[in-house]
Amino acid sequence: MFSAGTGKSSAFFFFYLFILTSETCAAPFHVMRRSSCSSTASVVSLREGQICGQTRHNFKVMALLALLLGLFVFVLEPVQADTTHSTLDPLDASFCHGGLEVIYPELDIDKCLMIPKNNKLREKIGTVWKAPQIYFSGAEKKKMYVLVMVDPDAPRRSQHPSYWRHWLLVNIEGYSLAEGKMHGMTLGDYNPPTPPQKTGFHRYQFMLFEQPPHTKISLTEKESSRGKWDFQAFVKRFNLGEPVAALQFLTQNFED
């Protein structure tokens, strides 16, 4: 991919060649004039002057184009970076820990990231792909786990957001997580990431908790709705503590 650095380097390169060519072409012309007054020498020097003049003209054009190209790329580059959102805020990047892995058909997520717009990945993750595979190499085979997927930015991150529950599984057997074939009881079916248009980027967080022994986890009638879920109250009610592993990705509506 062409970058601002490449554009500027090209511009300076051609500008340098232009100066160098101007100096080297001028030298033979003046030498010929001093060394001989014959008609032959005059013709040769004239031809050399014409050739060098054309060369200087060509390099002027090339240098000008390179400078313009470098300036264009330099101006365009920050816009492209802002559009693709390839970098995360440090706070968002620090959310992920524990080695949790979320696997979609064309996207294997093992660290905090922003879903790129290329290859229609934002569209596929929101409208095409079903629930991902979950892999956790650190799972203890004889323990049970709880997996929660939430969007903490509903309806938008900048306006007093609340939790939207996307997925909830309990009684997950540790050995199944270690094999990447999660097996448990579903309390909330998978709801794909579909942030509304013009609401910016939303975080989609996967959190894996150890389920306390002999604990029956359920949702109350009030929690039947996905929206405005009191996630912290749920965690506290069942003494889930801190997640043993967590992962998140950011995406926005694919039409934005």
Side-chain angles (χ1 to χ4, degrees):
M1 181 180 292
F2 199 89
S3 65
T6 307
K8 289 186 285 185
S9 298
S10 300
F12 287 123
F13 174 72
F14 283 115
F15 185 70
Y16 171 74
L17 283 181
F18 165 64
I19 297 298
L20 185 63
T21 305
S22 299
E23 292 177 352
T24 54
C25 284
F29 181 73
H30 291 302
V31 169
M32 289 297 296
R33 285 177 57 188
R34 293 194 194 98
S35 62
S36 175
C37 293
S38 67
S39 59
T40 303
S42 299
V43 171
V44 171
S45 64
L46 179 60
R47 287 177 179 173
E48 287 184 349
Q50 291 173 338
I51 293 171
C52 288
Q54 183 62 42
T55 304
R56 285 197 298 270
H57 174 74
N58 290 343
F59 274 103
K60 279 183 180 180
V61 173
M62 293 171 70
L64 180 60
L65 289 174
L67 284 168
L68 290 174
L69 181 60
L71 179 61
F72 175 75
V73 174
F74 181 79
V75 172
L76 181 64
E77 188 75 13
V79 176
Q80 184 181 28
D82 184 61
T83 302
T84 56
H85 289 82
S86 58
T87 57
L88 285 178
D89 177 272
L91 183 62
D92 288 335
S94 67
F95 178 84
C96 297
H97 69 273
L100 190 65
E101 193 170 347
V102 175
I103 305 169
Y104 288 97
E106 298 173 33
L107 192 63
D108 190 337
I109 305 173
D110 59 1
K111 62 183 178 181
C112 288
L113 55 78
M114 286 186 175
I115 303 299
K117 197 170 185 178
N118 59 303
N119 298 323
K120 295 185 176 181
L121 292 179
R122 292 179 187 169
E123 180 177 357
K124 291 175 182 177
I125 204 169
T127 63
V128 178
W129 296 335
K130 305 300 182 183
Q133 289 179 277
I134 304 295
Y135 174 68
F136 179 50
S137 61
E140 296 185 36
K141 293 182 179 181
K142 294 183 179 181
K143 286 188 175 182
M144 304 285 265
Y145 293 86
V146 176
L147 179 73
V148 177
M149 176 188 174
V150 293
D151 170 7
D153 301 323
R156 67 170 67 226
R157 191 169 184 175
S158 60
Q159 295 181 350
H160 307 290
S162 60
Y163 283 95
W164 181 278
R165 188 177 64 248
H166 279 264
W167 202 15
L168 178 59
L169 292 94
V170 301
N171 301 343
I172 301 171
E173 298 168 336
Y175 77 87
S176 67
L177 281 170
E179 294 176 357
K181 299 177 181 178
M182 185 174 60
H183 178 70
M185 184 174 73
T186 302
L187 292 185
D189 291 331
Y190 177 75
N191 179 223
T194 52
Q197 281 189 272
K198 311 303 180 183
T199 60
F201 279 83
H202 288 233
R203 294 168 291 171
Y204 292 90
Q205 300 177 338
F206 295 78
M207 288 170 277
L208 188 68
F209 299 87
E210 282 189 10
Q211 184 171 324
H214 314 295
T215 301
K216 184 178 180 180
I217 297 178
S218 60
L219 292 172
T220 65
E221 186 176 344
K222 185 180 179 181
E223 292 175 310
S224 59
S225 172
R226 293 180 183 270
K228 296 184 178 180
W229 185 38
D230 193 341
F231 169 61
Q232 299 300 335
F234 173 82
V235 169
K236 186 176 180 180
R237 187 163 76 245
F238 295 106
N239 299 311
L240 297 180
E242 295 295 323
V244 295
L247 185 72
Q248 76 172 352
F249 60 78
L250 280 71
T251 189
Q252 66 179 165
N253 189 283
F254 69 90
E255 293 183 344
D256 286 347

